[in-house]
Amino acid sequence: QQHQLIEDVHMLYGLLHQKESLSASLLQKVGISTDALNADLDRALSQMPKVSGTNTSHGSALSPNFQQLSQRAFGEAEKLGDEYVSTE
């Protein structure tokens, strides 16, 4: 989507759109409408700044929020004795 930064909402969007998504299944089990959540995520993503022009091949940077989310996830994995972070 050519966003300037990769945000935590990108992660949630990706998790919900995985084939046979465990995340979507868990959210539905606790009563969260994934259709409504997807609509909210689409709206949030559409409002984010985008990179435009002819030289946009440099990619996107990780936002501070995403970096913090990643650090917390790796910290939790380490506490559990896991070597990597997964969606399970």
Side-chain angles (χ1 to χ4, degrees):
Q1 293 181 353
Q2 296 183 324
H3 290 132
Q4 194 170 20
L5 294 173
I6 298 172
E7 295 282 357
D8 45 4
V9 295
H10 289 100
M11 173 69 77
L12 182 54
Y13 185 89
L15 289 172
L16 291 177
H17 288 89
Q18 285 181 330
K19 187 176 182 177
E20 299 178 24
S21 172
L22 176 63
S23 302
S25 176
L26 290 173
L27 289 170
Q28 290 169 346
K29 283 183 182 182
V30 297
I32 295 174
S33 166
T34 54
D35 289 337
L37 181 56
N38 275 319
D40 290 342
L41 290 172
D42 285 337
R43 196 170 18 265
L45 289 169
S46 72
Q47 295 173 359
M48 289 182 172
K50 295 183 180 185
V51 177
S52 62
T54 56
N55 189 13
T56 60
S57 61
H58 65 279
S60 301
L62 300 178
S63 73
N65 286 341
F66 190 90
Q67 290 176 19
Q68 184 180 37
L69 175 69
S70 297
Q71 288 171 352
R72 287 177 55 199
F74 280 104
E76 289 298 318
E78 187 175 312
K79 284 182 199 176
L80 296 169
D82 290 334
E83 294 181 12
Y84 60 92
V85 174
S86 71
T87 58
E88 290 99 36

